[in-house]
Amino acid sequence: MKKLQLDAIAFLLIIVVLGIGNFININKPEVSEIENRALKQKPELKMSSIIDGSYFRDYTEYYSDTFILRDKLLKISSDIQQALFIRDTDVKIIVSDKSKEYINEPEATDDKNNTDTRNTPEENTTEPVSTPDFTSSPEPTEKPYNEADGVGYWLVIDGKAVELFKFNKDNFDFYANVLNECNEKLGGKMPIYSLIAPTNSEFVELRKHAGITDSQNNATAYLNSKFNDGITAVNVYDVLNEHKEEYIYFRSDHHWTALGAYYAYTAFMKTKGEEPVPLEEYKTVEIDNFLGSTYAKTRDKSIEKNPDTIYAYLPFVDYKYEKYRFYQLSEVDIIDMKYADTKLDKYLVFLSAGDGTWAKISTENKNGKKLLVIKDSYGNSFVPFLLPHYEEIYVIDPRFYDFNTSEKNVVDFIEAKDVNEVLFVNYMENVNYRDFMLSLERLINNEDGE
């Protein structure tokens, strides 16, 4: 009994010491490197937030996020969990809560052709920029989520994290309806392209785990069948499958590499009947020791021991890249090396994080071709390859677009910028993620700017 009392007193003393230490610690962290996300900041004390209870909820989250030694305790917890895995297996299934992620996500055969043996979708039910009026424009609004919201399912195998895919028919129908609405509102005045990037699970040998992930190739075929005339689907599956043994996806991050994006670009050019620029014409920079988003979710030791290398291809076309963040304009680099030494996410080198309210790329070309790219972060490493083909490229990410600081919807934006082509570049999980598509639908259908 006495020993039990001593243990209880010791435990309480530890809690009290840590609590006091957390209270007097004024250097609260803003980001968690181990989780690769922004931490909750101290909420502002307002009477309205006290009344509706949001202040106490936000403060509890802030206290939890900034608790003293939090990252070290998480690392210890992760190490213990890793040690508890059965030693004779190299496969782990990890369920990841991605709702707080920092912004910046069957049996395979030896020869994956267009016929896939995994579950088919039918079988699975489950010009010049105008100056805004600063005096009368409403305040800009921040977006509360990103492509990583929700719960993700990851298979860690052979030193890489594989994002598993489960087809959701309703979400794919919704994606098709949103693009069809866009085409209808534009009146068929310009070509619209849809490019869906598969995740790496489509090209990884999962022979021992048949049925664990659905066919993204079949899901894309289902989606394409729902598009109305005027929307052209870009087939990137075939070219990626042809090069699946190459370094086209990161091991520690949910994105494709710039090489994977390049092959997708060649498919887009083929769809348009144009010649892609050979990769040899680009100068390459290497960024080593990259541990990205999926490592942050899984914190798996086998991934940590084998970090990625980012190969970025530098544009050879003269350009000016203007990124608008609400009312603030900055001129930045397409391949922005200021992110190369960050611990948080080196992938942000592409398009300088790609997080502008909207962006404009002006090139030396004088061919009158003006493209609008509506994308998620997969588009960040894709867009740089488009520079040799267009005079102007406009970029919108639905997660960051703000109606109060630009045109009220995408149709108005297209008309204001004299755009004559539209390309949607999104990765498979955002097609499958309804909240992302709701932001895209609002971007298209917003009529009053509210």
Side-chain angles (χ1 to χ4, degrees), residues 99-101 103 141-146 149 399 433 439:
S99 61
K100 300 178 182 179
E101 178 173 317
I103 295 177
T141 56
E142 291 282 4
K143 299 298 179 292
Y145 62 87
N146 61 74
D149 286 350
R399 298 167 294 170
Y433 176 43
S439 70

Side-chain angles (χ1 to χ4, degrees), residues 12-25 28 63 67-68:
L12 290 174
L13 283 175
I14 292 172
I15 296 298
V16 170
V17 170
L18 287 175
I20 294 173
N22 187 64
F23 181 76
I24 64 176
N25 177 29
K28 301 289 188 182
Y63 185 86
F67 194 82
I68 190 170

Side-chain angles (χ1 to χ4, degrees), residues 74-111:
L74 283 175
K75 188 176 187 306
I76 292 172
S77 174
S78 175
D79 290 343
I80 293 173
Q81 291 180 46
Q82 295 287 330
L84 291 177
F85 276 117
I86 300 174
R87 292 298 183 180
D88 61 357
T89 179
D90 60 349
V91 176
K92 309 174 185 71
I93 293 288
I94 294 177
V95 181
S96 172
D97 179 0
K98 301 187 288 184
S99 61
K100 300 178 182 179
E101 178 173 317
Y102 182 74
I103 295 177
N104 235 66
E105 38 246 127
E107 184 171 307
T109 61
D110 291 334
D111 183 15

Side-chain angles (χ1 to χ4, degrees), residues 19 61 70 100 114 117 130 215 278:
E61 187 176 348
R70 181 179 182 277
K100 300 178 182 179
N114 288 334
T117 60
S130 58
S215 167

Side-chain angles (χ1 to χ4, degrees), residues 13 65 106 188 256 269 323 335 376:
L13 283 175
D65 266 9
W256 54 17
M269 289 295 107
K323 187 169 72 170
I335 306 297
D376 59 25

Side-chain angles (χ1 to χ4, degrees), residues 366-392:
K366 300 303 176 186
N367 55 17
K369 296 170 65 175
K370 300 182 181 181
L371 173 71
L372 169 61
V373 180
I374 301 176
K375 58 84 182 175
D376 59 25
S377 58
Y378 262 66
N380 293 0
S381 54
F382 176 91
V383 167
F385 295 112
L386 301 175
L387 269 62
H389 304 277
Y390 292 92
E391 182 173 336
E392 294 176 1

Side-chain angles (χ1 to χ4, degrees), residues 169-178 434 437-438 441:
K169 180 179 179 294
D170 291 340
N171 289 345
F172 275 68
D173 288 340
F174 185 44
Y175 185 93
N177 290 338
V178 171
R434 194 171 184 86
M437 291 311 303
L438 285 169
E441 182 188 44

